[in-house]
Structure formats: C-alpha cells, structure tokens
C-alpha cells in the first residue's frame, strides 16, 4: 500500500522567495521601483528546506508521496493586480516544480492559480495548462474568494467558473477548494477563513446543479470538509428541504474530503458519516498547526496516526491512503503506474 | 428535571407581522409611502401559530420551556437604515413578549437587537434594557455581521462592542452569537452563514482577550459551535501556536455551545470533546431543518433524542438539559425559582 498525502504545502520555501514577494508588494506601493525578478534559489537551498521539514516528517510518519502545492496563506490573490498575481503564481509553481524534480518519488505538484479579484477565472486557464502539461502537475488549488475574506466573487456554481471547469475536465485534473490569507480582520486564516470556505463551498454545491453540468468534475474540500461532516444531518436535511436529490448522488459523486482534522474524535466522526470512497488522506503539513498535542504527545497534524487507529480493515484503509487519491487524481495514478507503483 | 431548550425562534409568526415588514421594505424603495404601523395581531392568532408548532413540538418531544427569540433569518439588519431596524426589532420583540405572556410556563424571551451596518452597538443598549427590565427577557441575540454576509463590522473582541458587553454584564444576561439572513450569494443562511459565524466568533475569542476584560460575560455559540468541536484539535493547537492560554481557561469559562446538531454522531462528538458544563440543550426549532430523517424516521431537529441516547448518567444529562442553562441565564433561573421550579 502506498500512503498518499493529498494535502501538503511548501510553507518552508527559502527566504529569497519571500523576499521576491516583499519586493513585489513594495512595488505596489511605489510603482517607480523596478519590477523584481523571481528569486535565484539553488537546489541545495530547496533540499535544505524540504529535507528538514516536509521530507523528514513524511518519512518519520510513514507517508510515501505528498501532493504538494505552494503555501496557501500567501497565495494572497487580493494583493496587487492580476499581473502581480500572475508573476507571483508563476514563481510559486516553478518552485514546486523544482521540488518535484528533485524528489520525484516523494512529491507531485499541484498548482496555485493567478486569480485576482474581479478578473475572469478564464485567465487562470493558461497557468493551469502550463503546470499540467509542462510541469507535470496533477491538480490545482482553486480559491473561491480571491478577495481574501470579502467574498466578492460569484458562488462556485455560477457560470463565471465554467470555462475553468471545462479545462479541468479536459485535462482530467481535480481542484482543491482552498482560500488564502484573509485581509478581513474578522477571519483568522487557518482558524476561521479556511473552514468557512470549506463549509460555504459544500453548501453551494448542495444548492446548485454544477455536477449535472460537469459529471466528470472532481473537487476536494480540505480540512475534513470544514463543518460539514459534524453537521451531516443538517446537510442531509437541507438537501431534502431544498428538494435536492440525496447528497450521495447530488454532490458526493464529485466531492471528496481530506483528513486534515487534528484529533481522533474528529476523524472518527468523519469516517462514520462520510462514505469511505469520499475520504482522502491528507495532513496539511507543514501547515496550520505545528505543535504537539499535550493530550497525546504526538503532533496535532500527524493525521496518519488517527487513520491508523480506526477500526477499519486493510482494504478500507488502503482506500483512504491510496486508492481514492489515485481515482481523484488520474494523472497521479498514471505517473505511479508508469513507474510500476 | 426541567428540560430547557435554549434556542427557539418564532419562525411561524402571523402573516400580518411579515406584511408589516413588507411595508417597511416597500417604503425603503419608495419613501413617499406612509410609515407602516406594526401589525395588529390578536391573542388567538398568536395562540394558533404557537400551539400548532412550537408548543405542540415542545410537548410532543418532552421539553418544558424554550428560550424564545424572533426569527433569526429575518432580523436582516442589513435591510434599510437604523430607524428601520429599530422599528422592526421593537415589533419583533413585542411579539415575543406576547408569546411569553400567553405561555409563561413554556416560553421565556430573548431579544433581537436593532443593529444596523456601521451603527454603534451602543445604540442597541436601550432595546436590550427595555426587553430585560420591562418585558422580562433573559438574554439577547447578538449579530456579529449586521451587513448580512459582507462582514464589515469589527471582530467581537474589538472595543467597538464593549459598551454593549458592559450593559450585558450589568443586567446579567448572556448573548447568543447569531447572524441573520445573508445578502451575499456565496452564503446560504442556515447552510453556511450561520455555521461560519459560529466558527468565526469562536476563533475571535481564541485570538483575543475579551474575557480578561469581561470575566462575567457569557456567550452562547449556537449550532453546536459551528465547526469548532469537530476541529477541536485544531483549536487546541492554534491556542498553543498563538501563545494563548489553554482553551478551558481562556475561552470556555465564558463560552457555551448548544446542541443544534442534527444527527447522533455529531452530538456524540460534541459531548466527547467539549466539557459537559459548556453544553446547553437546544433545538433551533421550528427552524433550519424541518424534515424527517429517513435514516431514523424522526425529525432532524428533535435533538432531545440524541441527548437521551447518550451514555450519560442522569446528573450529567440534567446539566445539559437544565442546570447549565440556569447558570448561563441567571434571570431564567430567578424566574424559575420564584415560581418554585
């Protein structure tokens, strides 16, 4: 059995990458400054940041491969205009490609998109295509709120998003719905905005008919599906009240939840109420919560332990750890098969 | 043992009440229209709407008393200006008073507030005082987002809210954090906006130091605490990462969750991870989800069944059903004691 972690971010990128971003932001305030170039980063610098963090933890915790994307909180699509988002996104994705080229057996890429408030999502198609076709990426992170906490974009079921979904289906890649940092002081990023976005996206899918129009579209809702599994009765009841089909056929043929839930009772609930075929192992590491749980003595985000502890047989665990991910990310499956995995 | 339902709304108010609201809204569009008067509603009309819904269900399901407030989704603080909100709020609260006067043993009042986007919360103090001192209400519903889904107010830990908290403490009444309908198409009210607000409020309390300034302030976060119990590990970890004290002393001396979670696994999780002294029985009925769960044959919002099914002893159940509510709503406790309950 392969252990595939569907949710990892390059939160430890070399400082020079952040310095490039700082120069970008400085130039928003002072357009007289020269446009900065992406940081020159050596392979050794990448190796150091990966080997002391994500790779070390992956190996310590017993995962095999991480579906790896740029740091989510610093996508910050709300900073600057579309051209700023384009150059920052390209640099972030290129850096992920460097990681996957250095560690092809340990990391496979998922891209950030050059979204920008008020800009058509169609403008993100080129970068998605580049990342999939040229960089070998297997999916993307789609931000339902490029405004960073003001929620000014249309719902994910709006036709605004359709050109992008068409390209996703054509390329056979899924999207993880993932907001970025919040510039709204009401929303702490990892403690509120992320979970709210997960919950919001699910309810939009419940209200809409997106998957009738795109039966092949695949969506991962991270962080264990936000509030959804805990309120699964509410959602089943709302589907009924709103005269929608049962969730299993209306939403759950296309929507998957990861296991980024940082305690055993949460994972127990997830597996109890959500069909196993809709659950993908994920850790979000190195990510939102980095500490050790004093109640267990283990890292909060070592989510593999919670799955290991479930009273499931080996076949069922393999679905969560490997098979569901291979089904949801067909390009990952093809890549693994090509090397005999 | 008394069964106290801490979360009920008058979602079935007589049509004339809604007609008054419609006239109000019509006048926003056409200020030449005369200012409408609150609806004239007979006691019999109130009896009919209560006895066929909330009272019937209360008795069928075996609850004794409901902490009762105006319909949350139609508080709609974002409609019209402050004067519109003031007159609508007053009419809504007066109607609740009519119910509690007709059925003093079954319903006790909690008030809506005349909030309005951009208006100081201090302007809501007079209505809170009127409802508590003149109408005998025991608490209030405080909307953290009067904009209805645009989240333009400051966080609940901001000093903006302090004058209101001072009055709450002085009157010894708690607030339930409760948003209203959403005018942001991203957020379905009961399927996203409500739960997001619950999650958001909790994280604000975690980030802030509100309860250091107001050690006697009591806050109910409804809908089972939004996403919080399911992600309790995340919150414990975030408190640690953000160098906050442990949640039990930092937040949970002042914050309480209700049991408006519409399936057994959700309630099981709630009771497993949250201290029993922080859990108040609530149903939100007649409310968000009105149907029957095909998996159980029972109403989704008959949350008493889920508590009844818990492997808790009678003393512990009494805390959830009665004692915690009496502690969190001291004026309810006084009222019950005065009549020997």
């Amino acid at each position: 059995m392969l252990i595939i972690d569907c949710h990892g971010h390059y939160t430890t990128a070399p400082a020079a990458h952040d310095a490039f971003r700082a120069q970008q932001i400085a130039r928003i305030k002072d357009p007289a400054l020269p446009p900065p170039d992406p940081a020159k980063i050596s392979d050794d610098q990448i190796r150091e940041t990966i080997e002391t963090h994500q790779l070390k933890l992956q190996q310590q915790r017993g995962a095999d491969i991480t579906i790896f994307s740029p740091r989510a909180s610093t996508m910050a699509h709300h900073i600057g205009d579309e051209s700023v988002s384009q150059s920052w996104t390209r640099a972030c994705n290129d850096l992920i490609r460097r990681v996957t080229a250095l560690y092809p057996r340990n990391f496979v890429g998922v891209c950030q998109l050059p979204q920008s408030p008020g800009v058509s999502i169609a403008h993100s198609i080129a970068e998605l295509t580049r990342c999939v076709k040229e960089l070998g990426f297997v999916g993307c992170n789609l931000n339902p709120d490029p405004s960073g906490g003001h929620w000014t974009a249309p719902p994910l079921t709006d036709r605004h998003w359709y050109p992008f979904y068409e390209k996703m289906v054509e390329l056979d890649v899924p999207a993880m719905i993932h907001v970025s940092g919040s510039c709204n002081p009401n929303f702490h990023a990892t403690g509120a905005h992320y979970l709210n976005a997960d919950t919001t996206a699910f309810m939009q899918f419940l209200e809409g008919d997106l998957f009738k129009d795109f039966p092949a579209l695949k969506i991962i809702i991270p962080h264990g599906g936000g509030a959804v599994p805990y309120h699964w009765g509410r959602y089943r009841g709302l589907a009924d009240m709103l005269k929608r089909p049962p969730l299993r056929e209306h939403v759950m043929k296309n929507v998957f939840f990861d296991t980024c839930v940082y305690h055993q009772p949460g994972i127990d609930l997830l597996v109890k109420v959500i069909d196993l075929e809709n659950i993908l192992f994920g850790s979000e590491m190195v990510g939102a919560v980095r500490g050790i749980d004093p109640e267990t003595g283990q890292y909060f985000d070592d989510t593999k332990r919670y799955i290991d502890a479930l009273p499931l047989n080996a076949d069922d665990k393999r679905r969560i750890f490997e098979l569901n991910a291979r089904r949801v990310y067909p390009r990952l499956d093809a890549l693994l098969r090509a090397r005999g995995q």
Side-chain angles (χ1 to χ4, degrees), chain A:
Chain A
M1 173 167 70
L2 278 178
I3 310 289
I4 301 170
D5 182 343
C6 80
H7 189 173
H9 297 295
Y10 197 5
T11 47
T12 58
H17 184 58
D18 294 333
F20 163 60
R21 180 60 162 172
Q23 287 175 302
Q24 265 204 329
I25 293 170
R27 189 164 181 262
I28 297 167
K29 289 177 192 136
D30 181 2
L33 290 169
D37 289 322
K40 301 215 184 316
I41 293 170
S42 70
D43 283 356
D44 277 348
Q45 285 176 303
I46 292 175
R47 285 193 191 99
E48 193 202 329
T49 59
I50 290 289
E51 290 184 12
T52 57
H53 295 101
Q54 286 85 357
L55 187 64
K56 185 181 82 174
L57 293 170
Q58 189 189 82
Q59 290 172 344
Q60 280 178 352
R61 298 177 185 181
D64 296 297
I65 186 162
T66 300
I67 298 176
F68 203 53
S69 61
R71 184 175 203 157
S73 63
T74 50
M75 297 191 296
H77 296 114
H78 57 278
I79 295 181
D81 61 11
E82 186 183 4
S83 73
V84 168
S85 181
Q86 287 278 3
S87 60
W88 172 236
T89 296
R90 203 174 163 98
C92 290
N93 290 334
D94 287 345
L95 201 55
I96 293 296
R97 173 57 190 156
R98 299 273 304 276
V99 175
T100 64
L102 285 170
Y103 305 97
R105 296 193 78 85
N106 301 99
F107 297 95
V108 61
V110 151
C111 65
Q112 170 177 334
L113 298 168
Q115 296 177 249
S116 190
V119 171
S120 168
I121 189 66
H123 296 205
S124 288
I125 289 175
E127 180 66 3
L128 174 69
T129 306
R130 181 181 83 93
C131 289
V132 172
K133 296 225 166 165
E134 297 174 27
L135 309 188
F137 286 17
V138 302
C140 60
N141 289 335
L142 182 64
N143 185 346
D145 174 28
S147 76
H150 295 288
W151 290 93
T152 52
L156 290 166
T157 48
D158 190 278
R159 286 180 178 272
H160 166 82
W161 303 91
Y162 276 30
F164 191 79
Y165 298 147
E166 283 166 15
K167 180 57 72 171
M168 282 174 58
V169 170
E170 180 196 318
L171 294 171
D172 208 8
V173 294
M176 180 176 280
I177 303 301
H178 208 309
V179 287
S180 182
S182 156
C183 61
N184 185 327
N186 280 288
F187 304 129
H188 184 274
T190 53
H193 193 39
Y194 284 17
L195 303 178
N196 291 351
D198 304 333
T199 308
T200 298
F202 184 87
M203 188 63 201
Q204 291 176 0
F205 298 140
L206 188 160
E207 282 189 274
D209 263 320
L210 180 61
F211 304 120
K212 198 179 276 178
D213 288 341
F214 292 98
L217 191 66
K218 296 201 192 77
I219 300 282
I220 302 101
I221 299 186
H223 320 109
V228 174
Y230 176 48
H231 287 284
W232 195 237
R234 174 176 288 254
Y235 290 101
R236 289 194 292 108
L238 282 170
D240 178 60
M241 256 176 93
L242 298 173
K243 314 273 187 243
R244 315 308 296 153
L247 292 175
R248 189 168 287 163
E249 56 184 270
H250 180 52
V251 176
M252 300 309 278
K253 285 180 180 166
N254 304 83
V255 168
F256 305 85
F257 298 151
D258 75 14
T259 64
C260 297
V261 177
Y262 294 158
H263 62 152
Q264 188 71 48
I267 293 288
D268 292 348
L269 173 89
L270 172 66
V271 169
K272 186 161 198 174
V273 302
I274 303 299
D275 286 347
L276 290 186
E277 67 190 34
N278 294 92
I279 301 173
L280 273 61
F281 171 61
S283 72
E284 199 186 356
M285 66 95 169
V286 181
V289 175
R290 302 184 187 216
I292 288 174
D293 186 346
E295 293 184 8
T296 63
Q298 305 295 342
Y299 283 97
F300 282 108
D301 65 0
D302 185 0
T303 54
K304 181 164 175 294
R305 287 179 180 275
Y306 311 133
I307 320 286
D308 286 339
L310 292 171
L312 296 178
N313 64 39
D315 282 349
D316 282 343
K317 286 190 183 169
R318 189 174 176 206
R319 294 160 77 188
I320 295 176
F321 280 130
E322 176 185 0
L323 299 181
N324 294 340
R326 295 178 81 130
R327 188 161 42 87
V328 173
Y329 296 85
R331 286 177 176 267
L332 169 63
D333 185 54
L335 184 155
L336 293 170
R337 283 177 190 276
R339 61 192 195 207
Q341 284 182 295

